[in-house]
Amino acid sequence: MHPSIKVAIIEDDHDIRQLMQLIVDGSPGFFCKQVYEGCKTGVPALIEDPVDVVLMDIDMPEMSGIDGVAWLKEELPKVNVIMLTVHEDNEAVFDSLCAGAVGYLVKGLPPVDLLRAIEEAHQGGSPMSPAIARKVVRSFQPQVATDPLSGRETEILKLLCDGENYKTIATSLFISTNTVKAHIKNIYEKLQVHTRAEAVGKALKQRLVK
Amino acid sequence: MHPSIKVAIIEDDHDIRQLMQLIVDGSPGFFCKQVYEGCKTGVPALIEDPVDVVLMDIDMPEMSGIDGVAWLKEELPKVNVIMLTVHEDNEAVFDSLCAGAVGYLVKGLPPVDLLRAIEEAHQGGSPMSPAIARKVVRSFQPQVATDPLSGRETEILKLLCDGENYKTIATSLFISTNTVKAHIKNIYEKLQVHTRAEAVGKALKQRLVK
DNA sequence: CCCAAAACCACCCAAATGGGTAATTGCCCC
DNA sequence: GGGGCAATTACCCATTTGGGTGGTTTTGGG
């Protein structure tokens, strides 16, 4: 069998901390190696003595869990961090993932599910509460523009995102640069922007193109 | 109790199709309403007579599952489509999610897990095989640039992504436009680009900025 | 204490861009 | 059969941008 999964907990609430430790330590195959009440002490300690999976609370005084992950991952890129939260705040989810978390769970999960999540994270998965996963997946889907772009316009917008200019777009689409200009002008109108960079930024952020 | 979840299957392989139907139909709470061997017939039929969850094979002759989801979601934005695949191809995952799929599973899943995935999709979750979920989550994390940007440079790059120009960047950072120019020149050097649009494109695609 | 990197500033000039205006063609829908 | 829209092309002109070259000051480590 595999050796026990080494787990660490960073959580400011005393009761929750103790409860989670009990769950983890009371289960075969899991071993709660370290427990901290904040990132200030926890992160340096984990850097010294790494574990497999870290359960990190999001809302903590002093330093947020998001900053904590960023710090920790900078030193230990391979550690698997699962974020824990009470409210599924949109911003926090994406900020956490960007900072390097591999999972995101809402608190109050049944012990079995928590353990399964830890195991999944350890084996290269990304445990997420259903609603969180849906948010993440939905973020891939294109936002419908209020004033939708025509086929040609989308095509040109994609080329703009690759940094192409009037001339190269014109030759690759077999049209004149003047036509390209006209299309781009229409794109600006529809996207409500005035420069290439802004158009590209909006296009990629709103996933109008991939 | 809730009414049964209405499921449809689109899968070209006869055996797999029948097996999945058996699994779904043989389980209380699930009802395999429709079964098709391709998108050409399946999608129009589903548009006429919607279901809750669609299990869609990726690799199919005539029309791929990816094009199938795109088509289906155009008419029925609310339907939950789970993609099924044998190989966890990187491209296909993101293309599917962009096309509107809410879940992504590798084939050969134990029946219990398949059913749980269907239920999860129906209740607003996004069932994904562990490795797939990890891919998705990792896509949020910034790629380390070979030649990392300095703090000021990242700051300016972010403003470039918002479409700001020399002047507005200069005033908002309380520096001269010449300095902004100098920074941007360095950014271009490090990112190996020559224009704003290309820089913004690269920055957002590689998630150097959020 | 010194060095390298980051941050700051300036000037020149050619090329690219954005905005305005105007026109033709082909297609779909009413 | 005409009105609307996408796609196409053209021209003018002010502004912005990108590339080149040079320099100072501040700052963090070794």
Side-chain angles (χ1 to χ4, degrees):
Chain A
M1 218 13 217
H2 297 290
S4 283
I5 300 174
K6 283 177 291 187
V7 179
I9 296 169
I10 302 185
E11 160 70 64
D12 62 318
D13 185 290
H14 179 270
D15 292 347
I16 298 180
R17 201 165 63 226
Q18 207 157 45
L19 175 62
M20 291 200 300
Q21 183 175 14
L22 278 175
I23 293 172
V24 173
D25 260 338
S27 309
F30 297 88
F31 166 38
C32 187
K33 201 145 172 273
Q34 297 168 68
V35 180
Y36 305 96
E37 73 295 306
C39 293
K40 273 272 176 52
T41 57
V43 173
L46 285 173
I47 290 170
E48 285 306 305
D49 186 10
V51 296
D52 297 314
V53 177
V54 178
L55 300 177
M56 174 90 77
D57 184 27
I58 289 247
D59 290 306
M60 288 186 292
E62 300 233 26
M63 177 180 279
S64 81
I66 295 172
D67 295 332
V69 197
W71 182 12
L72 188 59
K73 290 290 283 192
E74 209 171 304
E75 303 296 324
L76 299 174
K78 293 172 63 182
V79 70
N80 292 309
V81 182
I82 299 175
M83 307 304 281
L84 296 172
T85 184
V86 275
H87 46 266
E88 19 188 281
D89 177 21
N90 235 319
E91 279 304 299
V93 174
F94 295 108
D95 287 349
S96 298
L97 299 184
C98 289
V102 300
Y104 202 106
L105 302 174
V106 293
K107 282 184 182 174
L109 215 56
V112 224
D113 292 336
L114 178 63
L115 294 171
R116 186 165 53 204
I118 293 172
E119 196 173 1
E120 198 177 317
H122 183 239
Q123 289 174 354
S126 274
M128 286 176 280
S129 300
I132 304 288
R134 181 62 72 99
K135 272 189 218 296
V136 168
V137 163
R138 199 165 37 205
S139 82
F140 281 90
Q141 288 153 27
Q143 318 294 311
V144 268
T146 50
D147 199 349
L149 302 180
S150 76
R152 203 56 156 173
E153 283 160 2
T154 321
E155 198 172 357
I156 288 178
L157 184 55
K158 197 177 304 186
L159 295 175
L160 283 184
C161 291
D162 294 336
E164 304 213 21
N165 56 27
Y166 289 144
K167 264 197 285 257
T168 58
I169 294 178
T171 56
S172 77
L173 293 184
F174 306 106
I175 55 181
S176 88
T177 59
N178 286 311
T179 306
V180 176
K181 246 186 108 164
H183 281 303
I184 292 181
K185 222 174 314 189
N186 292 331
I187 293 174
Y188 289 176
E189 182 72 27
K190 291 185 181 177
L191 295 188
Q192 296 273 287
V193 299
H194 309 282
T195 68
R196 269 168 154 62
E198 205 179 348
V200 172
K202 202 156 207 168
L204 292 175
K205 283 176 184 168
Q206 312 204 341
R207 300 190 182 267
L208 301 174
V209 302
K210 60 163 202 169
Chain B
M1 220 8 217
H2 297 290
S4 283
I5 300 173
K6 283 178 290 186
V7 179
I9 297 171
I10 302 185
E11 160 71 64
D12 62 318
D13 184 289
H14 178 269
D15 293 347
I16 298 179
R17 200 165 61 226
Q18 208 156 44
L19 175 62
M20 290 201 300
Q21 183 175 14
L22 277 175
I23 293 172
V24 173
D25 260 339
S27 309
F30 298 88
F31 166 37
C32 186
K33 202 148 173 272
Q34 297 168 69
V35 179
Y36 305 95
E37 73 295 307
C39 293
K40 273 272 177 51
T41 57
V43 173
L46 285 173
I47 291 170
E48 284 306 305
D49 186 11
V51 297
D52 297 315
V53 177
V54 177
L55 300 177
M56 173 90 77
D57 184 27
I58 289 247
D59 291 306
M60 288 186 293
E62 300 232 28
M63 177 180 278
S64 80
I66 295 172
D67 295 331
V69 197
W71 182 12
L72 187 59
K73 290 290 283 193
E74 208 170 305
E75 303 296 325
L76 300 174
K78 293 174 66 183
V79 69
N80 292 309
V81 182
I82 300 176
M83 306 303 282
L84 295 173
T85 186
V86 275
H87 45 265
E88 18 187 281
D89 177 20
N90 235 320
E91 280 304 298
V93 173
F94 295 108
D95 286 349
S96 298
L97 298 185
C98 288
V102 301
Y104 202 106
L105 301 174
V106 292
K107 282 184 182 176
L109 213 58
V112 223
D113 292 337
L114 178 64
L115 294 171
R116 186 165 53 203
I118 293 172
E119 195 173 1
E120 198 175 319
H122 183 238
Q123 288 173 357
S126 273
M128 286 175 281
S129 301
I132 304 288
R134 180 64 71 101
K135 272 190 221 293
V136 169
V137 163
R138 200 165 37 204
S139 82
F140 281 90
Q141 287 154 29
Q143 319 295 310
V144 267
T146 50
D147 200 348
L149 301 179
S150 74
R152 202 55 156 174
E153 284 160 0
T154 323
E155 198 171 356
I156 288 179
L157 184 55
K158 197 176 305 184
L159 295 175
L160 284 184
C161 292
D162 294 337
E164 305 213 18
N165 56 25
Y166 289 144
K167 264 198 283 255
T168 58
I169 294 177
T171 55
S172 78
L173 293 184
F174 306 106
I175 56 182
S176 89
T177 60
N178 287 310
T179 306
V180 176
K181 246 186 110 165
H183 281 302
I184 291 182
K185 220 172 319 188
N186 292 332
I187 293 173
Y188 288 176
E189 181 72 28
K190 292 185 181 176
L191 295 188
Q192 297 272 287
V193 299
H194 308 282
T195 67
R196 267 168 155 62
E198 206 180 348
V200 171
K202 202 157 207 168
L204 292 176
K205 284 176 184 168
Q206 312 205 342
R207 299 185 184 271
L208 300 175
V209 303
K210 61 164 203 168

